[in-house]
Each structure stands twice: as structure tokens, then as C-alpha cells.
Amino acid sequence: MKNVAIIMGGYSSEYQISLTSGGVVYSYLDKTKYKAFKIHIFKEKWVYVTDSGSEYPINKNDFSVDVDGKKLTFDVVFNAIHGTPGEDGLMQAYFELLGIPQTSCDYYQSALTFNKRDLLSVLKPYGIKTATSYYLNLGDDIDADLIIKTVGLPCFVKPNKSGSSFGISKVKTIEELLPAIENAYKEDNEIIIESFLDGVEVSVGVINYKGKVTVLPITEIVSENDFFDYEAKYLGKSQEITPARISDELKQKVETVAKRAYEVLKMKGFSRSEFIIVDNEPYMLEMNTIPGMTTESILPQQAKVAGISLTELFDNAIELALKPN
């Protein structure tokens, strides 16, 4: 029996969603093969949490736990932390230094994909289309006229390193721009402002399944709100249609681009990329490397349509993490 540490929580606004994801992984993990442990990672504490709610502090020197005088260590880590420090490379680098395998991509890929600006810049030379964008760092002069001239209206103002649509605004008039920028700065000190792409939004899961890069069935996102915001993602204000209602030709095109991005970046583990299809061309918005793992989350929905159960999905991730490089 392998000891699996399921890390969840994190330091960002997404911690609550991460706790739910981690709880689902804990519930569905194959108990005949793995002994699972819930590990909560917060700024103020790293703790092993028992089913009864007792907490035991993690020794950060070797990621072990002292439980009633016995030292508990882990064979592998299942990473379910959305946002920092689980999705931006910090935990990946920490576990690499300790020599403990973990289920997500390596630290460089994690840091790169978490930074939307850098990710899109790296992928552009490989023919992957993106929206027109304008970048701001905290403290930069804000030339509203130049921004609107560059990206047009409407446009989206986003924190550069944030998930779950926190801090994102759709801006329709120049008067809305400054409040949107202030809102994004609450989440991050870097901002990306992108032109509005009017088309069909799709989400594409790509995983390594049993040693083969596999594109899962594509999900079409139909938001009741102005865009796929927090309410649409988590409070039922959207339809997520899997498989997406697109032609076979377009499906193949989106799959090719999503797979190329995964392979170009030398990804491992899970990824879920968002695209807007405009004039039969997919434009990439971002890539998530620790996508939601709740039963309602998009990637698990896609796996289900592909005939992969949550238990199989999680087992595959652990098996691949434990394989020698």
C-alpha cells in the first residue's frame, strides 16, 4: 500500500475550491491500492487532517508527520492545490528537492502556465493563436486611450496569475477600464488586458493516460452571465456541454492545437486549456495545470464521457507519478 499525501488548500482565493477537489480525490482514490492522507497547506500552517478533524503539523524539512510518536512519510503527493503555491511551481520545486514524486507537471511548466502572459508568448511561435493583448504591472502609468486603441472595446481585464475567474472584468466603455484594473490588482500585481473574442468558448482537457497523450472530449461553455465568471463556473450560471456542439473538422483542429500545446511545453499530469473559436480558428486563453477535480468540474466530466471513472483518473495520475523518469 502506497502512502498518498493529497495536498489541498493553498494561499489564494481558490483555497475553498481546492479543499473540495482534494476531498473528492480522497473519496475516490482506490483504497485497495493506496492509503490516502488529507494535507492542508495554508500560509499559517501545513497540517495532516484526520477524518475526525485532528491536526498534526507537517515537518517541512522532509514533508513528514509525527503521529502519536510514529513518523509518517509519503510515497507520492497528489497535488490538488489551485493557485499558489500548488499551481505556480513552488510545491513542485519543493517536492523535487525532497525527491518525492507528485502528480502535476514539473516546476518550470507550472510556473510558466500560471503566468498567462508568458505562456501565450511561448506558444505563439508554434502557430497557436491568441487575442490581442496589453500588459500592465502595478505602478505603471495607465494610458486608457492607448489601451483601448490597442485592444478595442469590449475587452477583458484579468489578473495575470490567478484562477477561477477571480478579478476578471469585461469592460464595455472607457469609463469602466480604471475600476476593472483596480479590481484585477486586488488579485495580482501584473495584469493582462485582452481584446474581446466573439465566438464559441470551449475547454479541452489533455492528460497523459496510460503513457499516451490523450485529448479528452471537448466541453462547450455557454454562460448565462456576460462571460465564464466565478458564478458561471461554480454557482450553476452556465451550461457545460460535453461533447461540444462543433463540427468534426473543427473538433479535430481544436484537439490538434490543445495536444500541440501540451507536447510543446513537455507537460505531465493534467491540463485543461480554454479556447474561443472565431471564424473556425481556436484562440487560446489560458492553460490550467491543476484543474478542478470536483464531481461537477469540467475535466472529470470530460473523463466520464471518455469512459474514465474518477478512480481510474486519479489512479492513472499516481501510477505515472511513481514511474521512474
Side-chain angles (χ1 to χ4, degrees), residues 10-132:
Y11 305 165
S12 76
S13 306
E14 298 182 83
Y15 77 92
Q16 199 66 57
I17 302 152
S18 169
L19 291 175
T20 306
S21 286
V24 169
V25 175
Y26 182 77
S27 299
Y28 281 87
L29 216 53
D30 186 344
K31 302 299 187 294
T32 64
K33 291 175 74 173
Y34 308 113
K35 198 167 181 194
F37 300 86
K38 288 183 278 192
I39 310 294
H40 289 192
I41 305 284
F42 294 113
K43 273 185 180 168
E44 66 278 7
K45 63 181 180 182
W46 289 21
V47 288
Y48 157 48
V49 183
T50 66
D51 288 340
S52 62
S54 299
E55 295 185 354
Y56 295 87
I58 297 284
N59 181 342
K60 293 183 186 177
N61 291 318
D62 60 359
F63 199 69
S64 66
V65 193
D66 187 311
V67 181
D68 303 327
K70 287 184 180 174
K71 184 173 179 174
L72 171 63
T73 58
F74 305 101
D75 300 295
V76 63
V77 172
F78 194 108
N79 186 355
I81 297 178
H82 314 309
T84 188
E87 201 167 4
D88 57 0
L90 294 177
M91 295 305 291
Q92 288 84 348
Y94 168 73
F95 288 122
E96 185 161 324
L97 286 170
L98 291 179
I100 302 173
Q102 52 88 35
T103 55
S104 60
C105 58
D106 292 335
Y107 68 91
Y108 170 74
Q109 284 79 0
S110 190
L112 176 68
T113 51
F114 196 64
N115 187 311
K116 296 180 184 79
R117 298 178 346 186
D118 291 356
L119 168 72
L120 299 174
S121 300
V122 165
L123 290 176
K124 235 177 198 171
Y126 292 93
I128 293 171
K129 293 180 169 59
T130 63
T132 304

Side-chain angles (χ1 to χ4, degrees), residues 51-244:
D51 288 340
S52 62
S54 299
E55 295 185 354
Y56 295 87
I58 297 284
N59 181 342
K60 293 183 186 177
N61 291 318
D62 60 359
F63 199 69
S64 66
V65 193
D66 187 311
V67 181
D68 303 327
K70 287 184 180 174
K71 184 173 179 174
L72 171 63
T73 58
F74 305 101
D75 300 295
V76 63
V77 172
F78 194 108
N79 186 355
I81 297 178
H82 314 309
T84 188
E87 201 167 4
D88 57 0
L90 294 177
M91 295 305 291
Q92 288 84 348
Y94 168 73
F95 288 122
E96 185 161 324
L97 286 170
L98 291 179
I100 302 173
Q102 52 88 35
T103 55
S104 60
C105 58
D106 292 335
Y107 68 91
Y108 170 74
Q109 284 79 0
S110 190
L112 176 68
T113 51
F114 196 64
N115 187 311
K116 296 180 184 79
R117 298 178 346 186
D118 291 356
L119 168 72
L120 299 174
S121 300
V122 165
L123 290 176
K124 235 177 198 171
Y126 292 93
I128 293 171
K129 293 180 169 59
T130 63
T132 304
S133 55
Y134 188 101
Y135 302 157
L136 278 176
N137 293 331
L138 189 61
D140 285 354
D141 290 334
I142 298 168
D143 186 335
D145 291 323
L146 179 60
I147 293 169
I148 300 306
K149 187 181 174 187
T150 305
V151 301
L153 285 172
C155 64
F156 282 99
V157 178
K158 306 175 179 180
N160 187 38
K161 305 184 295 290
S162 172
S164 296
S165 300
F166 285 110
I168 296 183
S169 306
K170 184 176 181 182
V171 171
K172 297 172 185 171
T173 66
I174 195 164
E175 290 76 25
E176 293 173 355
L177 184 63
L178 282 178
I181 288 170
E182 284 169 20
N183 183 45
Y185 275 141
K186 288 176 189 171
E187 293 291 329
D188 190 18
N189 58 7
E190 298 174 356
I191 288 177
I192 181 167
I193 304 171
E194 292 181 328
S195 59
F196 171 62
L197 296 170
D198 192 7
V200 176
E201 182 164 356
V202 293
S203 188
V204 193
V206 183
I207 61 173
N208 182 327
Y209 192 66
K210 297 184 177 175
K212 183 184 175 193
V213 176
T214 303
V215 182
L216 296 171
I218 298 167
T219 299
E220 180 182 344
I221 310 291
V222 184
S223 175
E224 290 175 27
N225 294 353
D226 231 3
F227 62 98
F228 196 43
D229 60 5
Y230 183 88
E231 276 194 336
K233 275 183 183 170
Y234 300 109
L235 303 179
K237 298 277 187 172
S238 70
Q239 275 184 289
E240 294 157 9
I241 302 159
T242 311

